[in-house]
Amino acid sequence: MAKPGLLVVLLAAVLLMGCTHAEESSIAPLTPTAGRVDPGLGPGTRALSSGPGYKGSPSWSPDGTRIAFTVDGYVVDGPTTSGESRRWTTKDFVATDTEWTSEETLTILGAASSSEREAGSSLYRANAGEGSLALQRIAKGVLAMSPIPGEDTLVFALASGTRGSELALTRNGKTSYRVHANSTIEGRVSALSLSPDGDEAVMAVRPRGHPEMSELRTFDFRQDEGHEVARLEGDREVVGTPQWTEQGIYFVAGKQTTSLDDDSSEPLFELYRVPADGSAPEPAPGVGEDFVASSIRVSPEDDRLAVIGRLNPKSPANLYVLDPAAKKLEAITANEDMEIKTDPDDLAWSPDGANVAIIARGTPSTEPEVRTEPADRLLRDFYNLYEIPVSEETAR
Amino acid sequence: MRGVAVWFSGAALAFLLTAGVFLLLANIATIPSEKSLAPEPPEAASQPVVELELNADQLASLKPEPDQNLNLTVRNENSTPLSDVNVTLSVSSENTALSRSRYYRQMVEEVPANGTADIPFDFNLSEPKQRVTGRPASEPAREILEIKATTPDGISATKTVILPP
């Protein structure tokens, strides 16, 4: 009776053979051509653009899948993963700011011609997919703008009279606008942003007749009332756009002409806070007394502040995130050899608050530089956009 | 009854042996599959390899003026000669809003095996007269030379030169 035993052994052998297979090794995924990692700005960094061009004013689309920015004045946008970019204006257009007002609509502050540039900027609306680079002008003589997140609505400041300003509103993708009653301001607005609830605006203003002064003003759209929050004297000015957080209004200010550092002509600006109770401005708590600020942007949840600055005038520029409630400044990049662009509008939060877009390049050489890639694929040689992830501690 | 049992056992044995052999063959056939999935290198060793060489001193002497000269060297790293190598030079500005780009092209009839061919380029590197508006004066645009050598088989080499302002 050896046959049943043989059958059992054979059956077990077949089952064993059928259930085993050669050990597999995982196959690494291909590196995408877009979004290449640049080690100069730390782990997790992804490039959002490449090639030559002076880039600025990044703005993430509401769903976070695209990012718009200016290149040598004209406006383009591209997917944040990979794919072709789109041009929104002709190459002779000079834009100073771009903001998404819907997934398909960009609002652009700039000038379409040299004659218009001399007269000041205009506000334009551009729609994706029209293919003709056609812009619809909303208003002339526009000084600053700020979209209301989640709405196809934009608040902007218009030049009024010789040295005045007033606030206006455009809604629902229309090219018409309405000037807000009682919003006349004695001075020129240079920057504008909104409070977390969208009911108030904070503005940097050059007062009429006082070119050496700089004011911080608010305007309450419900009460139709404006207030002076702070006045800076002695040639100090508010730089860039003030940002309204849950812990108060933050702004960068200093003397444009100050140059304490022999190695750099970059002026030394400080970060200030107007506390939520409306008391006098103070150096922003938590950043350190030697900190030199360049540009700031509040997070989509209004609870964090992205700051491009230097720990001291001699240290390299880096991206930091300030938690105003905890008064804690966290370094997001540990950059040593990249030049991070420090213009006031050169950083933007992604809509989910997980990333910040900045613009940076390697230090240009004074000798010819030879590369083995086509120019449009080069990253460090030109100013390019990078997506910087914020850490888990700061991403809430 | 005994005959039925013998036939049944025989049939089962034959089935198990056949199944076992098939499974064995299937496992043997799949063993090398992971290794064979490794991607091929972009340029196989048997294909001609072309390289571009630039003279650093000559690059340093270039000026933003007309009538500039650059001698390129195309190197054939293969053991067979290369013929009809297309070499292009484009001159453009770092300022992408400027529409000006200049293109130059030369055809190299033959590059000897494991040898080189020198190609002189005369080109215009003068600055554009267009008004620059989209970038600050503190950021003068640099000139970019993009040189590409392409064989009839599509094998190419690229060198991009960024000249200081």
Side-chain angles (χ1 to χ4, degrees):
Chain A
M1 290 299 288
K3 277 182 186 168
L6 182 63
L7 279 173
V8 169
V9 169
L10 279 169
L11 188 62
V14 168
L15 288 173
L16 188 66
M17 200 177 289
C19 294
T20 59
H21 53 88
E23 192 179 330
E24 287 183 10
S25 58
S26 62
I27 301 169
L30 291 172
T31 308
T33 53
R36 287 176 292 160
V37 173
D38 190 287
L41 293 169
T45 299
R46 289 194 324 124
L48 299 175
S49 71
S50 65
Y54 188 78
K55 300 168 185 86
S57 191
S59 176
W60 241 294
S61 67
D63 66 2
T65 59
R66 303 189 72 85
I67 192 159
F69 52 98
T70 60
V71 187
D72 294 312
Y74 62 92
V75 179
V76 299
D77 86 316
T80 52
T81 49
S82 64
E84 293 295 311
S85 61
R86 303 180 294 193
R87 190 148 57 86
W88 290 71
T89 68
T90 55
K91 286 197 170 182
D92 55 351
F93 192 95
V94 176
T96 53
D97 196 7
T98 58
E99 298 287 354
W100 294 86
T101 38
S102 75
E103 297 294 352
E104 297 296 317
T105 310
L106 268 182
T107 305
I108 301 167
L109 183 61
S113 64
S114 55
S115 59
E116 188 180 311
R117 278 191 281 279
E118 287 162 11
S121 293
S122 295
L123 194 65
Y124 293 91
R125 188 182 303 280
N127 294 312
E130 292 190 346
S132 62
L133 304 180
L135 301 175
Q136 297 171 294
R137 185 156 64 191
I138 299 171
K140 287 181 181 178
V142 177
L143 304 167
M145 66 169 177
S146 179
I148 298 177
E151 301 177 32
D152 193 355
T153 303
L154 193 89
V155 176
F156 59 96
L158 277 167
S160 168
T162 52
R163 291 297 304 165
S165 309
E166 52 194 1
L167 296 177
L169 197 75
T170 178
R171 290 181 183 276
N172 303 324
K174 294 178 182 170
T175 52
S176 59
Y177 64 90
R178 180 175 62 84
V179 176
H180 207 282
N182 302 321
S183 68
T184 302
I185 297 152
E186 297 290 315
R188 284 283 199 251
V189 171
S190 61
L192 163 72
S193 68
L194 300 177
S195 62
D197 59 12
D199 290 332
E200 293 178 81
V202 58
M203 296 160 281
V205 180
R206 280 279 188 196
R208 188 197 304 244
H210 299 281
E212 76 288 357
M213 287 186 185
S214 192
E215 273 183 4
L216 204 63
R217 295 188 68 85
T218 58
F219 186 84
D220 190 325
F221 294 108
R222 296 161 304 179
Q223 307 292 327
D224 288 341
E225 283 180 359
H227 297 284
E228 179 187 306
V229 175
R231 177 170 284 214
L232 308 178
E233 298 181 353
D235 285 332
R236 287 192 306 156
E237 65 175 323
V238 177
V239 179
T241 308
Q243 300 292 306
W244 206 317
T245 73
E246 292 167 348
Q247 270 66 43
I249 298 167
Y250 284 76
F251 63 97
V252 176
K255 281 187 179 180
Q256 277 283 15
T257 53
T258 300
S259 178
L260 299 177
D261 183 2
D262 290 337
D263 298 334
S264 168
S265 59
E266 195 173 299
L268 305 179
F269 298 132
E270 288 184 66
L271 182 60
Y272 293 90
R273 178 183 75 153
V274 178
D277 62 10
S279 52
E282 61 183 9
V287 301
E289 59 182 21
D290 293 330
F291 191 82
V292 179
S294 299
S295 46
I296 55 174
R297 196 63 83 222
V298 71
S299 66
E301 307 87 5
D302 305 303
D303 59 347
R304 290 167 292 158
L305 203 64
V307 184
I308 289 178
R310 305 170 191 273
L311 285 178
N312 62 66
K314 299 279 188 189
S315 59
N318 269 297
L319 173 66
Y320 298 86
V321 168
L322 175 66
D323 181 341
K327 300 174 183 173
K328 183 184 163 197
L329 187 73
E330 183 185 354
I332 303 300
T333 58
N335 164 52
E336 292 289 341
D337 60 349
M338 296 283 278
E339 285 185 1
I340 296 179
K341 204 156 166 257
T342 55
D343 291 347
D345 287 326
D346 287 341
L347 76 166
W349 284 89
S350 62
D352 61 2
N355 300 287
V356 174
I358 65 167
I359 299 170
R361 69 176 175 189
T363 306
S365 170
T366 55
E367 300 294 323
E369 294 172 277
V370 180
R371 304 285 181 258
T372 55
E373 284 188 286
D376 62 1
R377 288 184 55 83
L378 296 175
L379 293 175
R380 293 175 64 99
D381 296 288
F382 309 107
Y383 276 123
N384 274 299
L385 272 72
Y386 295 91
E387 177 190 271
I388 312 287
V390 297
S391 68
E392 289 184 5
E393 288 75 28
T394 51
R396 298 185 195 128
Chain B
M1 187 67 186
R2 190 167 179 236
V4 172
V6 168
W7 275 107
F8 179 76
S9 300
L13 185 62
F15 170 77
L16 289 172
L17 282 171
T18 308
V21 168
F22 272 109
L23 282 170
L24 184 66
L25 288 171
N27 274 281
I28 290 168
T30 56
I31 285 169
S33 62
E34 284 81 17
K35 283 190 177 178
S36 67
L37 279 175
E40 289 285 321
E43 290 174 5
S46 60
Q47 290 181 304
V49 176
V50 64
E51 277 296 330
L52 275 167
E53 292 173 4
L54 305 174
N55 184 313
D57 293 337
Q58 227 180 4
L59 289 175
S61 68
L62 293 174
K63 293 184 173 63
E65 296 171 3
D67 303 324
Q68 299 298 298
N69 305 302
L70 192 60
N71 291 315
L72 312 176
T73 301
V74 177
R75 177 176 293 280
N76 177 8
E77 296 186 343
N78 200 26
S79 55
T80 55
L82 280 174
S83 57
D84 298 333
V85 179
N86 188 36
V87 183
T88 58
L89 165 68
S90 74
V91 182
S92 59
S93 170
E94 183 184 8
N95 185 345
T96 56
L98 300 179
S99 54
R100 177 194 64 102
S101 282
R102 300 186 180 105
Y103 293 93
Y104 304 85
R105 177 176 173 271
Q106 291 205 41
M107 182 70 79
V108 185
E109 288 183 1
E110 185 173 299
V111 186
N114 298 311
T116 61
D118 293 334
I119 306 113
F121 268 97
D122 298 328
F123 58 100
N124 185 353
L125 201 52
S126 61
E127 290 178 350
K129 301 285 185 238
Q130 287 172 266
R131 189 177 170 198
V132 177
T133 52
R135 52 196 298 142
S138 58
E139 284 292 330
R142 295 168 288 177
E143 292 292 304
I144 299 168
L145 309 180
E146 202 168 315
I147 303 144
K148 191 171 184 181
T150 310
T151 68
D153 298 329
I155 306 298
S156 65
T158 301
K159 285 279 167 70
T160 299
V161 183
I162 304 159
L163 299 170

